[in-house]
Amino acid sequence: MEKVVISNDDMMDMITKQLDKNSRVSFRVVGDSMFPFFKNGKTIVTVEKTNEVKLHDVILFNYNGQIVLHRIIKIVDEYFICQGDGAFRKEYVIGEDIYGKVTYFYEQNKQIKHYETKLKLWLFFTPMRKILLKITKRGNK
């Protein structure tokens, strides 16, 4: 069987079109911007189309023409401020640019253990994120 490789942009375009047809789609994460929670090529997420999102949800959204999967870190007026767990850039998003939110995720057919506790710790230690990322990436190789 011939292996077919598509670009991340093409894949995200197919995902958003599928969300328009159905209310749910699952795919394997590509990239390190959500590390340490979502791992490149290992984590599979399910995104559901919804109008209800809240602080700390991971959402799929359009940002300057690019489809991004990042966490809501702050809500100010009509803006959702998002950032990848392993990234430093912040994105300012309005509701109409949101395709959906992650409702389920797993690695190796297992849901990630103690996610809520790990997330609270990660958010608490945000000021030391650069150091923590170096440590966790080194230990993940």
Side-chain angles (χ1 to χ4, degrees):
M1 177 159 63
E2 184 178 338
K3 184 177 181 179
V4 177
V5 178
I6 62 171
S7 73
N8 197 38
D9 288 339
D10 288 342
M11 181 182 80
M12 287 299 172
D13 187 47
M14 290 188 312
I15 288 167
T16 56
K17 286 179 182 172
Q18 190 65 34
L19 273 172
D20 284 340
K21 292 178 189 174
N22 301 312
S23 62
R24 177 185 302 153
V25 65
S26 296
F27 58 93
R28 193 172 301 274
V29 172
V30 176
D32 290 321
S33 68
M34 284 301 292
F35 184 86
F37 293 100
F38 300 165
K39 296 181 180 99
N40 182 28
K42 294 181 181 177
T43 306
I44 297 174
V45 298
T46 298
V47 174
E48 289 190 31
K49 194 172 189 171
T50 182
N51 292 326
E52 295 181 27
V53 295
K54 63 185 183 319
L55 188 65
H56 301 144
D57 280 349
V58 176
I59 60 172
L60 185 70
F61 58 93
N62 182 323
Y63 181 72
N64 293 335
Q66 183 180 15
I67 309 301
V68 180
L69 185 74
H70 282 167
R71 185 176 311 283
I72 297 172
I73 60 167
K74 192 173 187 179
I75 301 172
V76 179
D77 298 325
E78 73 275 5
Y79 288 96
F80 298 90
I81 303 171
C82 300
Q83 183 177 30
D85 292 331
F88 301 99
R89 176 185 80 181
K90 293 179 181 160
E91 300 98 3
Y92 293 78
V93 182
I94 56 175
E96 65 191 40
D97 289 333
I98 298 173
Y99 296 106
K101 73 176 179 179
V102 172
T103 56
Y104 188 77
F105 50 92
Y106 60 95
E107 285 178 32
Q108 301 170 353
N109 294 324
K110 296 178 185 173
Q111 192 160 8
I112 298 170
K113 292 182 180 180
H114 312 293
Y115 173 76
E116 293 295 327
T117 303
K118 290 177 182 177
L119 176 60
K120 286 177 184 174
L121 284 169
W122 187 251
L123 294 171
F124 178 78
F125 287 109
T126 295
M128 298 187 309
R129 185 174 283 184
K130 284 185 182 184
I131 295 166
L132 291 173
L133 281 170
K134 285 182 183 181
I135 293 167
T136 54
K137 282 185 180 180
R138 190 177 314 136
N140 195 45
K141 290 186 180 181

